[in-house]
Structure formats: C-alpha cells, structure tokens
Amino acid sequence: TEAEITVIMLGSEAMEYSDTELGASVEIGSVVQAMCCATESGQQIVFAGLADGKLLAYRHMNSGLEPASHRQECWTLEVASKGITHLSTVALKPSAIVMVNTLDGGIKLVLAKGANQTFEMREVWCFKHDNLTLALRGCFCPAITGAPAGTISVVCGDEHNLVLVHSMRGNQDRTPRAQQNQVVNQLLGHEAPVLSCGWSGDGTILLTCDSAGSVCLWKCESLSE
C-alpha cells in the first residue's frame, strides 16, 4: 500500500498463536513500487523498492514464540535518482544479491549481508542506459547464478535492440567482482529497445520483449550459446 508495508508471519497449525499476532507494519513515507524476499544468514529479509529511488530492507527478528520477543529492523540505500520498477533476489550464502531495476533505465546489483545486530547494503554492479527513458527489466540467469564459484549472470536488454548476457565471477566470500563484469553474449533478433526478459520454469527458454510489441523466445544450450 502507499507508504506502508505489512508483513504477516505465517505459522503452522501446531502453533498456538494467530498470524495477526505476529503481523508487523512498517511506515515508509514513500510509495512502494516493488517487493521481493530473500533468506540471509537464516533470516527472512523483505526488500522494497520505493518511488523516491531508495531500496529498503526489512528484517523481522525473534527470540521466542511470544509477540513481545519479536522486533523489526529497517535499512535504506539510495540506489536511483528516480523510482524503482522491479526487484528480484538470489541467495548466495552468507549474503543475498538484489537486482534493482530503475525507472531511468538502470539495472543494479546490491549486496545485502548481515549477522545478528549488523546489516550492510552496498551497490556492487551497475548497467546504465544513457539515452533511454523507458523502464527496463533484467533477470538473473538461473542456470549460472549461484554456481559454486559464486558466479552472477544477468540477462537484460538495451537501447540498441540487443539482449545482453553479463557474467561476473565471485570473490572468496561469493560476492561478485564488479570489475570483472563482462558481456559474454549478445542476442540479435529485436528491432526496437528490449524492455523485459524472463525464463521458463526449467531455465532452458529465455523470453524477451521490446517496445515495438515483439516477443522472442530463445532456446539456451549454455551461457554463451
């Protein structure tokens, strides 16, 4: 809803407390335009993309079953000059990577990492369309992202009618090395700026669409084919 996030903790039938007892409302002060969840260090994190360009992380902490033992924590990070259009996340223990799609055509990766009382969010990668006013939407490549080496693979379109596949190798702590980002493939087939992309459930078919109304389906044998 506008300026508020409502989080409902769902329990099993064996629990003696109701769902509403563990509900929590977070006052934001800005319209929430996108949301996603991730598990980080064994805890559920709710991420919200706001109309003012901020990324908010909400963590619900608990030390028992009673509502009094629960507390909430929030952090914000300025990631865009305009609003955020879409969020997605992938868990890379002991951290999580959040993909942020912005209203000004940018696609960013934010590292979210924390333990106990500490929490950190920082931008680790950015792909910016300089002359594009259309909102774009990228996605993680499911077959590659989360590999043992900590590789992060991102698929997104650009203003030159291309579908780009980016790949980043991970550090020892599995966070991406932004300086080693490279475009490992460019898919040709669109005749207008590519706005969005997504994968089939088994990760073998990539779907992309452009501003002219065309939709392309790509059969992916590997990251570079």
Side-chain angles (χ1 to χ4, degrees):
T1 61
E2 290 190 2
E4 182 179 279
I5 296 176
T6 300
V7 182
I8 300 176
M9 308 294 291
L10 299 177
S12 67
E13 294 179 357
M15 301 298 183
E16 296 182 353
Y17 50 83
S18 68
D19 298 336
T20 54
E21 284 182 307
L22 294 181
S25 294
V26 185
E27 295 295 334
I28 303 301
S30 180
V31 176
V32 179
Q33 296 183 315
M35 294 188 72
C36 67
C37 296
T39 300
E40 186 277 322
S41 299
Q43 298 172 346
Q44 287 294 325
I45 309 293
V46 177
F47 296 98
L50 308 183
D52 60 5
K54 292 186 177 66
L55 175 65
L56 179 140
Y58 166 89
R59 181 169 64 178
H60 190 91
M61 306 284 288
N62 69 82
S63 57
L65 298 181
E66 295 298 326
S69 65
H70 293 244
R71 61 187 176 86
Q72 59 192 30
E73 298 174 322
C74 291
W75 299 266
T76 58
L77 177 69
E78 187 80 38
V79 295
S81 58
K82 297 183 179 180
I84 294 173
T85 61
H86 183 263
L87 297 177
S88 57
T89 185
V90 62
L92 290 178
K93 296 180 180 179
S95 60
I97 302 295
V98 184
M99 182 185 296
V100 181
N101 295 247
T102 64
L103 194 60
D104 57 0
I107 298 175
K108 299 184 177 184
L109 295 184
V110 173
L111 171 70
K113 186 177 182 180
N116 299 325
Q117 305 297 323
T118 63
F119 193 81
E120 172 194 15
M121 287 197 299
R122 58 183 174 90
E123 184 180 317
V124 293
W125 179 78
C126 177
F127 177 74
K128 183 67 172 63
H129 300 265
D130 294 329
N131 301 314
L132 191 65
T133 58
L134 299 170
L136 302 183
R137 177 173 172 176
C139 63
F140 290 109
C141 179
I144 302 299
T145 295
T151 299
I152 302 292
S153 180
V154 174
V155 180
C156 61
D158 77 344
E159 70 271 32
H160 302 299
N161 314 340
L162 299 174
V163 179
L164 305 177
V165 182
H166 300 264
S167 182
M168 288 147 278
R169 300 292 295 178
N171 297 306
Q172 290 185 350
D173 62 355
R174 301 176 66 87
T175 59
R177 301 175 185 174
Q179 70 274 17
Q180 293 192 7
N181 165 54
Q182 58 178 329
V183 176
V184 298
N185 201 352
Q186 298 182 8
L187 306 181
L188 305 176
H190 286 280
E191 297 181 355
V194 181
L195 301 182
S196 185
C197 53
W199 292 87
S200 60
D202 59 4
T204 61
I205 302 295
L206 173 67
L207 295 90
T208 59
C209 65
D210 61 37
S211 60
S214 298
V215 176
C216 293
L217 279 71
W218 312 84
K219 184 176 181 181
C220 302
E221 301 293 340
S222 69
L223 181 64
S224 58
E225 296 181 1

